[in-house]
Amino acid sequence: MPTSTAIHPAPAAGGARAPRRTPRFTAGPTTLYAQLASVLRGHIASGEWPPDSDIPSIDELCAQYGLGRITVRQALQILAAEGLVSSQRGRRTFVTYSRDQLEAAPLFPTFAAVGVQTPEYGVKILSHTRTDELPPARWDLGRSAGPYMLVRKLDQSSGQPYGLSGIYVAEDIYKRFPKGAENRSKLVRLLVKYAKVPVTLARERVRVAAADFAEAEGLGCAMAMPVARVERVFCDADGRVVYYSNTAYRGDRYGLERDISEYLHRV
Amino acid sequence: MPTSTAIHPAPAAGGARAPRRTPRFTAGPTTLYAQLASVLRGHIASGEWPPDSDIPSIDELCAQYGLGRITVRQALQILAAEGLVSSQRGRRTFVTYSRDQLEAAPLFPTFAAVGVQTPEYGVKILSHTRTDELPPARWDLGRSAGPYMLVRKLDQSSGQPYGLSGIYVAEDIYKRFPKGAENRSKLVRLLVKYAKVPVTLARERVRVAAADFAEAEGLGCAMAMPVARVERVFCDADGRVVYYSNTAYRGDRYGLERDISEYLHRV
């Protein structure tokens, strides 16, 4: 593994606060400027650098973190591209992020959204493959009984991709879908409508990972950016898997909200 | 932003398959070797490179991806450190990852785990701060009515940190906790037990992000590695927030499983 280089910053301005702990910048998988961007993003998200306030100058940031001007400039360019800061003719850089923006920004593609198809929603079908089996490394719920139609697709909001899915739908049910319906409706919606045996089991598993190549390409994000990987299994009353999916959501577009009051009684 | 360099690999060996699309390696926030590791990890996770199979040699990988020997070696070192591949005296490198390992590995710190305290579980209290208000950028549920005790803590499993939390507990309830109980029990458990007005609302919000400096330091992971950020709010029957928390879980230790059958009826 690469060697690590700890850089001791000068004490932060405004000596009233306790001295800040030393960020550890490391030559490693993440470049120095991305690491610095991450630190500065933290100052903004925590409110330490409030909206409309000036952030330290490039020279001050260089001195504080012991990094070069190019690295600091690159970090600020990332924050500017993310809409967190803005510069006025190179003189001052100030925070343009507000809490309202944060609240407005995230998509919450929980399953609740299945029933609600907004005008912004779009789907791009990438491929169809007929297959006899579910993938071997799947979540082991229910009985695999093919053939299945594997549909690869991209969910989009206002034309921007946010979810890349591979979805196995029992072929006998898939064949009953009206022609072209999958281009307008989510597959789960169609599944529940056209299944002859009622769908009774529905489970979801969420994990967090760094985008692999296919995910980065499909979602239009950088490789190794955070994604949520969501696996969903639907079984019918006979215990047969009728729907199995893997979806990668862009980390910056993913969110899930849920009621956890049932757990209060188990405490 | 940095310039991008598309590298066109030679066609994959085994011409029966459709030609693989071109990975796009980019000079950017993620180093080339981390990007390549991400691509190769994808081959292993998908089963394209099954357990015990030999992977291509360093020379073959260099030719296939148009990358230098040092970059390819570094990528393989990452995979070896993750336990995905192993090398025999530099001659062959083979896949050591199995699905059983994957299934055994992830922690699922869903809320279901609150009631179950395993022998491996440990908690390290980092600080206590008395405060009159909840943070301004909180999830806007319930009524803030301080004072609160802000407890910063690290959840550990077998001594390895997996979750870093800042938890606000209504001070009047906190004061009723037995001395030292917070070192052994989760705070939610104590909250429900010692609250005078019953806790009736409990909600959770999950997002995905790149670890900021404080998270990387606390969780012992690299900056910008994926984390799950989980926000939880508990209110009593009077609508007062009695517990508010932010937790960052290491991405490689986070998982959530849930029943989503209620959504079937809304489809």
Side-chain angles (χ1 to χ4, degrees):
Chain A
M1 288 300 290
T3 52
S4 95
T5 318
I7 295 160
H8 296 268
R17 274 201 300 268
R20 181 176 292 161
R21 284 166 305 165
T22 309
R24 193 174 180 82
F25 293 104
T26 312
T30 307
T31 52
L32 288 175
Y33 72 86
Q35 292 179 47
L36 178 61
S38 165
V39 171
L40 304 184
R41 204 183 281 118
H43 296 341
I44 295 170
S46 69
E48 189 179 339
W49 289 357
D52 298 320
S53 70
D54 281 14
I55 72 166
S57 69
I58 290 179
D59 287 340
E60 284 164 348
L61 291 170
C62 289
Q64 188 172 342
Y65 293 107
L67 294 169
R69 290 182 69 85
I70 292 173
T71 302
V72 171
R73 267 187 205 283
Q74 285 176 320
L76 294 180
Q77 278 166 11
I78 289 181
L79 299 185
E82 291 174 352
L84 299 178
V85 301
S86 182
S87 294
Q88 277 185 340
R89 272 169 280 142
R91 288 182 309 154
R92 59 185 281 259
T93 300
F94 57 99
V95 176
T96 47
Y97 160 99
S98 74
R99 199 185 145 221
D100 292 346
Q101 281 177 293
L102 174 70
E103 294 300 317
L107 262 186
F108 289 114
T110 55
F111 235 67
V114 169
V116 186
Q117 300 219 356
T118 62
E120 293 76 28
Y121 175 74
V123 58
K124 186 178 169 189
I125 304 284
L126 304 175
S127 68
H128 290 99
T129 316
R130 199 173 174 269
T131 172
D132 284 331
E133 294 289 343
L134 297 175
R138 74 175 177 98
W139 190 4
D140 200 16
L141 286 176
R143 181 169 41 82
S144 171
Y148 293 96
M149 184 60 79
L150 166 57
V151 182
R152 295 192 191 279
K153 71 182 184 76
L154 205 52
D155 286 308
Q156 301 175 317
S157 178
S158 303
Q160 298 296 312
Y162 66 84
L164 176 69
S165 300
I167 303 176
Y168 294 76
V169 182
E171 196 188 47
D172 53 308
I173 304 174
Y174 181 84
K175 281 183 169 168
R176 287 198 288 274
F177 293 176
K179 205 171 153 65
E182 65 183 358
N183 294 310
R184 298 182 302 272
S185 288
K186 295 215 173 174
L187 289 168
V188 168
R189 207 195 209 345
L190 297 168
L191 178 88
V192 171
K193 192 166 174 187
Y194 292 98
K196 284 195 171 162
V197 181
V199 178
T200 50
L201 180 146
R203 290 191 66 82
E204 178 181 78
R205 186 150 83 168
V206 179
R207 305 194 214 209
V208 173
D212 66 21
F213 164 61
E215 290 163 344
E217 190 188 51
L219 298 172
C221 66
M223 204 118 64
M225 285 289 112
V227 294
R229 290 204 185 129
V230 180
E231 207 172 349
R232 295 188 183 112
V233 184
F234 293 78
C235 297
D236 67 16
D238 298 333
R240 176 194 181 202
V241 176
V242 289
Y243 180 106
Y244 169 77
S245 69
N246 273 300
T247 303
Y249 291 99
R250 283 181 67 116
D252 55 359
R253 303 292 278 160
Y254 180 77
L256 178 154
E257 283 185 15
R258 61 174 185 151
D259 185 343
I260 51 174
S261 55
E262 58 170 311
Y263 297 115
L264 292 177
H265 314 296
R266 303 192 201 167
V267 168
Chain B
M1 288 300 290
T3 53
S4 96
T5 318
I7 294 161
H8 295 269
R17 273 201 301 266
R20 182 175 293 162
R21 284 166 305 164
T22 308
R24 194 175 179 84
F25 294 105
T26 312
T30 307
T31 52
L32 287 176
Y33 71 86
Q35 291 179 49
L36 178 61
S38 164
V39 171
L40 303 183
R41 205 184 280 118
H43 295 341
I44 295 170
S46 69
E48 189 180 339
W49 289 357
D52 298 321
S53 70
D54 281 15
I55 72 166
S57 69
I58 289 178
D59 287 341
E60 286 164 347
L61 291 170
C62 289
Q64 188 171 343
Y65 292 106
L67 294 170
R69 291 182 68 85
I70 292 173
T71 302
V72 171
R73 267 187 205 286
Q74 285 176 320
L76 293 180
Q77 279 166 11
I78 289 182
L79 299 185
E82 291 174 351
L84 299 178
V85 302
S86 182
S87 296
Q88 277 185 341
R89 273 169 280 142
R91 289 183 309 153
R92 58 184 281 259
T93 301
F94 57 99
V95 175
T96 47
Y97 159 98
S98 75
R99 200 187 143 218
D100 292 347
Q101 279 177 293
L102 174 70
E103 293 301 317
L107 262 186
F108 288 114
T110 55
F111 236 69
V114 170
V116 186
Q117 299 220 354
T118 63
E120 293 76 27
Y121 175 73
V123 59
K124 186 177 168 189
I125 305 284
L126 303 175
S127 69
H128 291 97
T129 316
R130 199 172 176 271
T131 171
D132 284 331
E133 292 290 343
L134 297 175
R138 74 176 178 99
W139 191 4
D140 199 16
L141 286 175
R143 181 169 42 83
S144 170
Y148 293 95
M149 183 61 79
L150 165 57
V151 182
R152 296 193 189 277
K153 71 182 185 76
L154 205 52
D155 286 308
Q156 300 175 317
S157 178
S158 303
Q160 300 296 311
Y162 66 84
L164 175 69
S165 300
I167 303 176
Y168 294 75
V169 182
E171 196 188 48
D172 54 308
I173 305 176
Y174 182 84
K175 281 182 169 167
R176 287 199 288 274
F177 294 176
K179 206 172 151 64
E182 66 183 356
N183 294 310
R184 298 182 302 272
S185 288
K186 294 215 175 175
L187 289 168
V188 168
R189 207 194 205 352
L190 297 168
L191 178 88
V192 172
K193 194 166 171 185
Y194 293 98
K196 283 194 173 165
V197 181
V199 179
T200 50
L201 179 146
R203 290 192 65 84
E204 178 181 77
R205 187 151 82 166
V206 179
R207 304 194 213 209
V208 173
D212 66 21
F213 165 62
E215 291 164 343
E217 190 188 51
L219 298 171
C221 66
M223 204 119 62
M225 285 289 111
V227 294
R229 290 204 186 129
V230 180
E231 206 172 351
R232 294 187 183 115
V233 183
F234 293 77
C235 296
D236 68 17
D238 297 334
R240 176 194 181 202
V241 176
V242 288
Y243 179 106
Y244 169 77
S245 68
N246 272 301
T247 302
Y249 291 100
R250 283 181 66 116
D252 55 359
R253 305 291 278 159
Y254 179 78
L256 178 154
E257 283 185 16
R258 61 175 186 150
D259 185 343
I260 51 172
S261 55
E262 59 170 310
Y263 297 115
L264 292 177
H265 313 298
R266 303 192 201 168
V267 168

